[in-house]
């Protein structure tokens, strides 16, 4: 009876001693498509020394190794197997994840560009042509030609997109300004205005004047109350302004 109890105790001790507890610390991947994941394995119990194996999709990709530190891993599900000196084993599962791919595009509106971004790890910062990175995704007053938008996410991942700012046509009336009251119409322009015509609401021409100046004033005191259209011409361009005389 005593021998039986002794054997039973030894058997239980052997079972307890053979158990291997496997834990792991892992680092996920910062940028989509990289292979910089890490798994660091810790084993307890059993009988040292331990042998570590890293398995993916049923295939051993690292090991058997005397160390449980694995680097350069891509995303995926990994099985870690630890064997001790008495061929007892312990297993745990670790998943290495990665963010979705960082993607950017650009909406262009005249000399302005708006960055559109998805994926990666927000928040994002933006640069045009490698200049200072900004939080704002809107860039104004860009020069005509080809530019490159560069987007960086919080993990230091990058995406870029080339776009073109069109050459904006300049107008004779780009710097045109005017004021109007009941009796006087005043204007100024960056270039010379050749002719001025005034039409009533019916489209009838009621006044014409040769200007040949970049600024002038027109007397409206004789006009009755109503809506009028002032057409100015310079070279091959014309500009029409709607005014109201009270």
């Amino acid at each position: 009876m005593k021998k039986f109890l002794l054997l039973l105790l030894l058997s239980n001790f052997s079972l307890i001693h053979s158990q291997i507890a496997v834990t792991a610390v892992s680092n996920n991947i910062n940028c989509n498509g990289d292979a910089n994941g890490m798994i660091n394995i810790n084993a307890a119990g059993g009988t040292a020394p331990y042998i570590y194996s890293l398995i993916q999709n049923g295939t051993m990709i690292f090991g058997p190794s005397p160390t449980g530190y694995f680097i350069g891993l891509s995303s995926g599900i990994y099985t870690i197997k630890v064997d001790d000196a008495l061929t007892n084993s312990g297993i745990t599962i670790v998943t290495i994840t990665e963010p979705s791919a960082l993607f950017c595009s650009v909406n262009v509106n005249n000399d302005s560009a708006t960055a559109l971004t998805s994926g990666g790890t927000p928040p994002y910062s933006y640069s045009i042509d490698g200049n200072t990175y900004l939080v704002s995704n809107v860039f104004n007053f860009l020069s005509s030609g080809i530019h490159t938008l560069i987007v960086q996410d919080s993990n230091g991942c990058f995406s870029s997109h080339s776009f073109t700012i069109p050459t904006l046509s300049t107008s004779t009336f780009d710097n045109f300004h005017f004021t109007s009251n009941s009796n006087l119409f005043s204007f100024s322009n960056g270039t010379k205005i050749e002719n001025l015509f005034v039409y009533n609401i019916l489209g009838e021409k009621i006044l014409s004047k040769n200007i040949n100046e970049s600024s002038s004033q027109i007397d409206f005191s004789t006009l009755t109350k109503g809506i009028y259209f002032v057409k100015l011409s310079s070279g091959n361009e014309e500009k029409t302004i709607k005014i109201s005389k009270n």
Side-chain angles (χ1 to χ4, degrees):
M1 185 66 178
K2 288 182 179 180
K3 279 187 177 182
F4 174 75
L5 290 175
L6 180 60
L7 288 171
L8 181 61
L9 288 171
L10 289 173
S11 176
N12 287 338
F13 175 79
S14 177
L15 287 172
I16 294 170
H17 189 63
S18 68
Q19 293 176 347
I20 301 176
V22 182
T23 57
V25 176
S26 63
N27 286 343
N28 292 320
I29 293 167
N30 290 331
C31 302
N32 183 272
D34 284 353
N36 57 3
M38 181 276 293
I39 298 177
N40 190 19
I41 306 166
N42 181 60
T47 303
Y50 304 110
I51 298 295
Y52 305 86
S53 300
L54 193 64
I55 302 165
Q56 188 177 42
N57 299 323
T59 301
M60 183 182 299
I61 59 174
F62 289 108
S65 169
T67 63
Y69 184 66
F70 301 103
I71 60 175
L73 304 178
S74 57
S75 63
I77 300 173
Y78 295 89
T79 299
I80 296 104
K81 182 174 180 285
V82 180
D83 296 305
D84 71 358
L86 300 179
T87 69
N88 298 306
S89 298
I91 290 177
T92 191
I93 305 294
V94 175
T95 300
I96 298 292
T97 63
E98 65 179 351
S100 58
L102 180 61
F103 174 80
C104 66
S105 60
V106 178
N107 277 350
V108 174
N109 182 18
N110 293 326
D111 61 350
S112 298
T114 301
L116 306 175
T117 311
S118 62
T121 307
Y124 309 113
S125 56
Y126 307 87
S127 169
I128 295 294
D129 299 328
N131 294 315
T132 303
Y133 281 85
L134 304 173
V135 174
S136 173
N137 67 325
V138 178
F139 296 86
N140 296 311
F141 309 115
L142 297 174
S143 60
S144 60
I146 298 174
H147 296 275
T148 300
L149 166 73
I150 306 171
V151 178
Q152 181 179 15
D153 72 2
S154 61
N155 282 346
C157 311
F158 292 90
S159 179
S160 62
H161 182 84
S162 294
F163 64 96
T164 301
I165 294 293
T167 300
L168 302 179
S169 60
T170 57
S171 170
T172 302
F173 297 99
D174 279 347
N175 296 313
F176 180 83
H177 304 280
F178 76 94
T179 59
S180 176
N181 56 41
S182 295
N183 296 317
L184 198 64
F185 176 81
S186 303
F187 69 86
S188 64
N189 193 45
T191 57
K192 186 182 294 186
I193 301 296
E194 296 171 356
N195 298 293
L196 178 146
F197 308 97
V198 179
Y199 299 85
N200 62 19
I201 193 69
L202 300 176
E204 299 168 337
K205 184 190 297 183
I206 59 174
L207 177 65
S208 63
K209 188 172 182 179
N210 190 319
I211 304 294
N212 285 323
E213 299 286 346
S214 59
S215 63
S216 186
Q217 293 179 332
I218 308 300
D219 183 9
F220 276 7
S221 61
T222 59
L223 300 180
T224 59
K225 293 180 179 180
I227 301 297
Y228 295 91
F229 297 92
V230 179
K231 179 181 288 187
L232 305 107
S233 65
S234 179
N236 295 323
E237 294 189 48
E238 293 182 339
K239 185 177 184 68
T240 301
I241 302 164
K242 179 181 177 181
I243 62 173
S244 176
K245 177 177 170 62
N246 299 320

